[in-house]
Amino acid sequence: MLPSTESASSFYQQSKKPQDLFLVCGLKSLGQHCVAILKEYDVKVSAIEDVQPEHWEVPEVPNLLEKLIIGDCRQPNVLEQAGISQCRSILLVTRNERINIEAAFAARRLNPHVRLIVRSDKQNFNKLLWENLGNFVAFEPTHLSAHAFALTALGSEAIGYFTLEGQLLQVIKHQVQAKDSWCNGKPVHRLNLTTRRILSHKPVASNPSKELFGWNPEAEVQVGDTLVYIDVAYDLAFSEQRRQSHNQKWRWQQFIQSITAKNLKEKIAQFWQSYYQSQNQIRRIATIYAITVLILWLVGIILYHLYYPDITIQEAFYATAVLLLGGYGDLFGGVEFASQSKPSDDIPWWLRFFSLGLTLTGQAFVGVLYALLTDALVTSRFHFFNSRPPIPQRNHLVIIGLNRLGQKVAALLQELNQPLVGIHPTILDQETLPDMPLIVGNATEAFTKANLSHAKSIILVGDDNMENLEIGLMAHAMNPATTLIIRSQDRQFSDNVAPLFPYAQVICGAALSAEVFACAAFGENVLSLFHLNEQIVMVTEYKIEDGDTLNGLLLSEIASGYSVVPILYQKYQRDNYSLMPWYDVKLDAGDRLIVLATSNSLQRIEWGEMLPRLWQVQIEKTLTTNAIIYGAEEIVLITGCSSTTARQWMNNLPRVLPIPLYKHQAQRLVRELTKVQVLANVIYIEQP
């Protein structure tokens, strides 16, 4: 995923122009969901598809389209027929990356200002296109939906994870217990720290608010309440070093354990079992040769002992061994053989011929032995040092199907240090997830090896909906207590299956990814997403420019007015940034801001429609002389007014400050005024 060169501000300016047409190229599952979401923004949407769709996964799509063009989206005449010159954004979401990129070139040539949102996984190429084309962003649906699968599989309080500036941030949904001294009995606003932000507070027996700032800061947290908050988990760079150190330590432990007597005996037993079960031709020949050599060895010992009664069985044993190892010349090179009474020339021809046969047979056996060892070394790929970790015994996650999505989910879970095992029908390259245990073969046959009966979660991410469901039902029969996550590539399939199997969580990746593509069409740079209160919350990045609806506002105004949660702020041309910034910062052109926002919040920002300010602060009096000065400073800091105006207000008390505020702003101002010995309270503005 790549950031766009133009921020949302340029698109807010364009929203006042007639360029309100959005074009979707590709009406498979992802494209249909993109159309449906774009229409929620009350904009015009047209589409291009190479053939007339026979199946509408989102049935209302035909009625939502202004125009449906059947043709190749790479052809200029087709793009012109669809209205590319009036398009604000074009979403190229066919299943062919080459077609998407070629269509992007054609669209840019016909409309230099159109925003390009491309479905592509070519990360390096996408970066080059972003640098050269401008106003370009690329996503891969697989990567977007992988987070949803990984988080669902955790089965913990964490409902979201994402990375900002090398820091791993987690979104936690926690039901308050009596032992939770950090939150129980405290006002909600006191739970906000420099490493934590409250997103939602739902008291017992109440419905959760759809707005991120719909909670009351002064409410006291009670047992049974539900808190949703975001905090900094840990530094990913340090975590990666720790994981690599752990893996290196594990390999050395494996090396030490492998040379113990017990393991050595087990390795030998496994070797012989695989040896005799193998259908390798070299091994079969080696077995035949070994039996032949043993028989000839015994025959040689008997013959030499009978023909030379003066030599012992031991001498006959070694003489035959020398011949088998190619020592014919050592025994028959003119020296006396074993006994002083009979020179080698007196040996009968048939015994000499037999001795020569022993040497030739022994040499052939040595050659086959070398071939066998070479074959074993090549096929094992030095398995001793590069073997994968052992399969976890319990409380682990099982991933079935290590396609691109499965590998991405596994990588995310490994970042979170989760024990897991993968099941795949074919062997993977050693470089692919080398630190993950892997079982190769049929999924149902691998259940026992994967310790499925003790697994915490099972994730099925194969490309076949029915196969995923079948394997999932079999897995549930073996372990009804495990969490079952099934991938679906069809929204209708998900809607039909989910109610029938309530123990399974069926996730449609296209529906998740479409939210990101649609939001990107309006200029937002979506970094990640997660679910909260049946809504998708997106981690969205803005770069503030002149004329932007966010420019000149305090973070407190942006947070309450658009119902978003600022989580990162960076001043223009400064390297340092603030995580969980204080809300008294005012944005200027060039600043960078990352927020958590729902689709409705992004629509408000798009249209510049802030929620109404319904609260004011009434100041009664000051308790000390310095309270006037300190009170004026707090008013300036929280409301953003000038210091002269604030001083005039403080010199004429009691009074109601003639500036409407949001509830969170007003309550914070009252709290801060109370700290500097100023008596004040919040009043609600009556609506006409």
Side-chain angles (χ1 to χ4, degrees), residues 271-306:
F271 169 77
W272 282 111
Q273 183 179 6
S274 63
Y275 181 88
Y276 283 112
Q277 291 178 351
S278 173
Q279 298 299 317
N280 187 287
Q281 186 176 3
I282 296 179
R283 293 187 177 184
R284 293 202 304 270
I285 294 174
T287 302
I288 296 172
Y289 262 101
I291 296 172
T292 303
V293 167
L294 288 175
I295 294 173
L296 291 176
W297 200 339
L298 293 174
V299 172
I301 293 172
I302 295 171
L303 288 178
Y304 289 128
H305 182 63
L306 291 176

Side-chain angles (χ1 to χ4, degrees), residues 77 81 190 221 473 529:
N77 61 324
Q81 187 179 357
R190 288 185 56 188
V221 180
L473 295 178
L529 55 87

Side-chain angles (χ1 to χ4, degrees), residues 101-343:
I101 293 175
E102 290 181 3
F105 295 154
R108 171 62 80 240
R109 185 168 62 87
L110 296 173
N111 185 347
H113 303 292
V114 69
R115 179 167 174 77
L116 304 172
I117 299 93
V118 179
R119 175 180 182 173
S120 173
D121 192 31
K122 301 182 182 298
Q123 298 295 326
N124 293 332
F125 190 36
N126 293 339
K127 185 176 181 180
L128 293 173
L129 292 177
W130 163 63
E131 293 172 349
N132 288 275
L133 294 180
N135 202 9
F136 172 97
V137 65
F139 301 101
E140 169 50 45
T142 297
H143 295 171
L144 296 176
S145 58
H147 287 82
F149 285 93
L151 293 170
T152 306
L154 291 177
S156 64
E157 293 184 331
I159 62 174
Y161 282 97
F162 52 91
T163 305
L164 292 180
E165 304 295 340
Q167 303 286 326
L168 181 67
L169 280 73
Q170 58 183 352
V171 181
I172 303 296
K173 186 175 183 179
H174 175 69
Q175 187 171 27
V176 179
Q177 308 294 325
K179 61 182 179 180
D180 294 331
S181 58
W182 66 274
C183 61
N184 189 13
K186 296 180 180 178
V188 180
H189 70 83
R190 288 185 56 188
L191 304 181
N192 285 325
L193 303 173
T194 55
T195 58
R196 182 171 63 214
R197 276 287 183 275
I198 299 298
L199 306 183
S200 171
H201 170 234
K202 185 183 83 67
V204 180
S206 66
N207 296 322
S209 173
K210 293 292 184 180
E211 303 292 344
L212 291 179
F213 264 76
W215 44 276
N216 181 7
E218 300 295 337
E220 286 192 359
V221 180
Q222 304 294 332
V223 175
D225 292 359
T226 301
L227 288 172
V228 180
Y229 59 91
I230 178 174
D231 68 1
V232 180
Y234 52 79
D235 190 306
L236 278 179
F238 173 76
S239 176
E240 178 64 19
Q241 292 176 0
R242 184 175 59 183
R243 188 168 69 89
Q244 291 179 356
S245 175
H246 172 76
N247 292 334
Q248 186 177 11
K249 179 181 179 182
W250 171 83
R251 287 192 174 93
W252 278 110
Q253 289 176 346
Q254 289 293 101
F255 173 78
I256 295 172
Q257 292 175 2
S258 66
I259 61 177
T260 63
K262 182 178 178 181
N263 278 310
L264 185 59
K265 192 178 297 183
E266 292 177 357
K267 294 292 184 182
I268 293 174
Q270 292 175 3
F271 169 77
W272 282 111
Q273 183 179 6
S274 63
Y275 181 88
Y276 283 112
Q277 291 178 351
S278 173
Q279 298 299 317
N280 187 287
Q281 186 176 3
I282 296 179
R283 293 187 177 184
R284 293 202 304 270
I285 294 174
T287 302
I288 296 172
Y289 262 101
I291 296 172
T292 303
V293 167
L294 288 175
I295 294 173
L296 291 176
W297 200 339
L298 293 174
V299 172
I301 293 172
I302 295 171
L303 288 178
Y304 289 128
H305 182 63
L306 291 176
Y307 192 77
Y308 297 99
D310 294 339
I311 67 173
T312 64
I313 293 292
Q314 184 178 4
E315 290 173 333
F317 174 86
Y318 288 119
T320 307
V322 170
L323 289 171
L324 288 172
L325 294 175
Y328 181 84
D330 296 333
L331 294 180
F332 300 100
V335 298
E336 293 184 351
F337 173 67
S339 174
Q340 298 294 330
S341 60
K342 292 190 179 184

